[in-house]
Amino acid sequence: MTPQIIAIGSWQLLFSLIFVLLAGAASLTWHLGLGRSLLVGTLRTFAQLALMGYALVFIFRLESATLTLGVFGAMILAALQIVHGRIKAHQVSLLWPMFGAMLVSYAVVTVVVTGVIVGAKPWWQPQYFIPIAGMIIGNSMNALAISLERLFSDLRSQRDLVEMHLCLGADAREASQTIVRGAIRAGMIPSINAMMGVGIVFLPGMMTGQILSGVDPLTAIRYQIVVMVMLVGSTALSTVAVVLLARRRCFGSGDRLLLRAGWR
Amino acid sequence: MTGEAPLLAFDAVSFTYPGKTAPVLEDLSFEVAAGRFVSVEGPSGSGKSTLLRLACRLEAPDAGVVRFAGQPVDAMPPGLLRRRVSYVQQTPALLADSVRANLRLAFGLRVNRDLEAPGDGRLRQGLDEFLLEKISLDQPARELSVGQKQRLCLLRAMLLAPEVLLLDEPTAALDRDNARRVLEIVKGLNRHQGVTIVMVSHNPADARNATARVRLGGDR
């Protein structure tokens, strides 16, 4: 049986803007001051997704390993820029160690999922590699931002405790062990929570998208299970790697804590 | 400062905090012989605490050398240095755990594995010596008064038998009675156990027991 997909026409797409108008009306009525943001957000949604759609059509048709891996690299760089911009620890240089840790952990998980679990041939087949990499990077980008923010704020606010450990002879690893553990946990909890609630609290976007486009729900569910566990794995890998690297950068020679309260 | 071989020495040390332009310490030199009780004096912002932090490598000088037992401190493994040159912070820092766990904390660290962790008998004796007879080893350490916490931190440092004790305003947050108790303990450690003391204090009365003084400059 060929799955019957109902395509969304241009007029129908425009009609969907009624929901934005509703939000705009709420903003006007309640003086929320969100009109401009709503307008920009809507335009960006249309433009960015249209561009992405055309880009994907092009990339899928070309089937080039170089282009696929180039897109993968660009996605990581964009995520790196977002995470790095959000963290407030300019006393420590993190850009390149973070890039290395993100590249390795994302590459390992993406290649295992596409090449081994899904069995795409070749393993970099863009139709699989790019969406899966996108989910991994997008998801763990948030985890990284949460973990790093927690790491830096705790190292600053608990500087006395860290230095107390150092004064008793602890090395940087021992002195920051509890803080590092808390930071990694903070980053991982959202993806673990997502596993707890999936199928009960919410239906994930990927599965919903596949079902809407006519894929057998049982196939969609299998994909979704792989996605959920891969997200936990990639989040754990990248968070642990980046937090450990960041911790090393927060201590100078002689295990001196470089981060200071009130300094960014 | 003395004719004896110095245990701790600052040789033309300068230090500027990151992001600041004016140095907090500039070309500072002094020596402390073993067994001395040195009082570090000076107005706020003159670098008194920084001096202590440099002595145990919590900060690194921009210029000059800090030496302990004749060796530059930056050539010594930091854990071993800090075991011998113990810094007790101005604000008592304690784990959210029992008095016992706080006192034994150092003995679970890698660098101190060659040391035997003190048993309850030794800890009890220490508490008595540090005028903490009324507190129990099972008591949550963070529930103690500031004065008790300060003495507990001193005892914790002393369990490692350091050669130098760096004290950062140990009586700053204490009432007169508690301040007197802490000073009595510090004096006893210096006189009876031969521990070299380098103590920062705003209070001139605290410095009465000192055998030498380091005076730092005005506000910067």
Side-chain angles (χ1 to χ4, degrees):
Chain A
M1 186 183 83
T2 312
Q4 201 65 41
I5 305 166
I6 304 171
I8 296 179
S10 302
W11 287 111
Q12 289 156 304
L13 202 58
L14 279 175
F15 184 70
S16 69
L17 286 176
I18 193 165
F19 297 114
V20 181
L21 293 177
L22 268 175
S27 173
L28 276 176
T29 311
W30 299 100
H31 306 286
L32 303 178
L34 293 174
R36 193 182 148 78
S37 300
L38 272 170
L39 180 68
V40 173
T42 308
L43 288 174
R44 282 189 66 155
T45 302
F46 271 74
Q48 285 167 198
L49 288 179
L51 270 174
M52 176 53 80
Y54 286 114
L56 286 179
V57 169
F58 175 72
I59 293 164
F60 290 176
R61 272 192 199 145
L62 218 60
E63 290 224 355
S64 149
T66 316
L67 186 62
T68 305
L69 296 179
V71 170
F72 178 61
M75 287 158 88
I76 294 176
L77 281 174
L80 178 72
Q81 195 204 10
I82 292 168
V83 176
H84 197 257
R86 264 197 243 166
I87 55 174
K88 298 172 180 84
H90 301 145
Q91 282 163 282
V92 292
S93 152
L94 276 176
L95 201 65
W96 293 112
M98 262 174 72
F99 179 71
M102 287 164 86
L103 181 69
V104 171
S105 53
Y106 298 159
V108 167
V109 179
T110 313
V111 171
V112 168
V113 172
T114 55
V116 182
I117 299 173
V118 175
K121 284 187 178 59
W123 57 266
W124 51 263
Q125 202 177 323
Q127 188 189 342
Y128 293 95
F129 197 87
I130 290 174
I132 284 171
M135 280 188 279
I136 288 172
I137 296 169
N139 197 72
S140 77
M141 180 181 82
N142 291 328
L144 282 180
I146 293 169
S147 285
L148 289 174
E149 186 59 44
R150 176 76 169 265
L151 176 75
F152 296 136
S153 69
D154 282 1
L155 280 175
R156 281 196 186 96
S157 65
Q158 297 179 38
R159 189 185 170 96
D160 273 359
L161 268 180
V162 174
E163 290 194 335
M164 177 269 282
H165 280 86
L166 294 174
C167 290
L168 294 172
D171 56 26
R173 194 184 62 80
E174 289 170 316
S176 58
Q177 196 165 270
T178 313
I179 291 174
V180 163
R181 221 177 273 152
I184 293 172
R185 275 178 60 89
M188 287 189 60
I189 281 171
S191 36
I192 294 172
N193 283 349
M195 287 211 300
M196 302 290 186
V198 69
I200 303 171
V201 183
F202 66 98
L203 288 179
M206 178 187 170
M207 191 176 102
T208 314
Q210 280 186 315
I211 293 170
L212 283 175
S213 60
V215 171
D216 175 8
L218 293 179
T219 306
I221 279 164
R222 281 167 188 256
Y223 264 91
Q224 193 57 50
I225 290 170
V226 170
V227 166
M228 298 307 288
V229 293
M230 114 190 152
L231 291 184
V232 170
S234 63
T235 302
L237 258 181
S238 58
T239 308
V240 168
V242 171
V243 167
L244 292 183
L245 279 167
R247 188 253 304 270
R248 283 182 65 170
R249 296 274 169 149
C250 291
F251 288 87
S253 64
D255 291 331
R256 285 174 299 119
L257 179 57
L258 300 175
L259 289 179
R260 292 172 199 276
W263 282 84
R264 289 189 161 188
Chain B
M1 181 172 287
T2 65
E4 304 152 59
L7 185 61
L8 185 68
F10 275 56
D11 186 5
V13 170
S14 297
F15 180 81
T16 307
Y17 278 101
K20 303 273 181 187
T21 47
V24 66
L25 292 174
E26 201 168 12
D27 206 24
L28 175 71
S29 298
F30 67 92
E31 293 177 346
V32 180
R36 289 299 177 114
F37 188 141
V38 178
S39 164
V40 182
E41 296 161 11
S44 293
S46 58
K48 302 186 294 296
S49 300
T50 309
L51 180 153
L52 300 187
R53 295 173 62 81
L54 284 160
C56 62
R57 277 188 89 182
L58 285 180
E59 305 290 354
D62 305 324
V65 185
V66 180
R67 289 193 176 82
F68 172 68
Q71 224 184 328
V73 293
D74 59 7
M76 299 176 72
L80 284 176
L81 169 77
R82 290 172 188 144
R83 192 164 105 181
R84 298 174 71 186
V85 181
S86 190
Y87 174 55
V88 180
Q89 297 151 298
Q90 184 177 348
T91 312
L94 292 162
L95 298 181
D97 208 331
S98 67
V99 167
R100 182 188 290 103
N102 272 281
L103 290 175
R104 286 201 185 138
L105 174 62
F107 298 89
L109 303 172
R110 258 182 304 178
V111 75
N112 299 324
R113 282 202 184 134
D114 57 323
L115 304 175
E116 194 186 336
D120 280 2
R122 170 75 192 94
L123 297 182
R124 193 63 265 167
Q125 186 195 342
L127 289 174
D128 294 347
E129 286 167 7
F130 280 66
L131 309 173
L132 294 165
E133 343 33 23
K134 286 180 189 159
I135 69 166
S136 106
L137 287 170
D138 297 313
Q139 211 167 323
R142 287 193 177 171
E143 287 179 7
L144 302 177
S145 71
V146 187
Q148 289 173 325
K149 284 179 185 168
Q150 191 62 270
R151 277 174 274 153
L152 193 67
C153 290
L154 265 175
L155 171 58
R156 182 174 59 191
M158 283 312 299
L159 288 171
L160 290 170
E163 289 155 71
V164 179
L165 205 50
L166 306 167
L167 302 175
D168 195 352
E169 303 209 41
T171 60
L174 307 185
D175 56 36
R176 248 172 63 182
D177 189 39
N178 269 307
R180 186 185 50 76
R181 287 171 180 222
V182 167
L183 287 174
E184 282 303 313
I185 291 167
V186 173
K187 199 164 68 178
L189 293 173
N190 177 247
R191 288 200 185 152
H192 308 305
Q193 296 185 37
V195 181
T196 305
I197 308 284
V198 182
M199 186 174 87
V200 165
S201 180
H202 269 304
N203 186 354
D206 291 358
R208 271 198 304 247
N209 303 302
T211 52
R213 286 178 166 76
V214 173
R215 284 200 179 85
L216 300 176
D219 278 321
R220 286 165 203 262

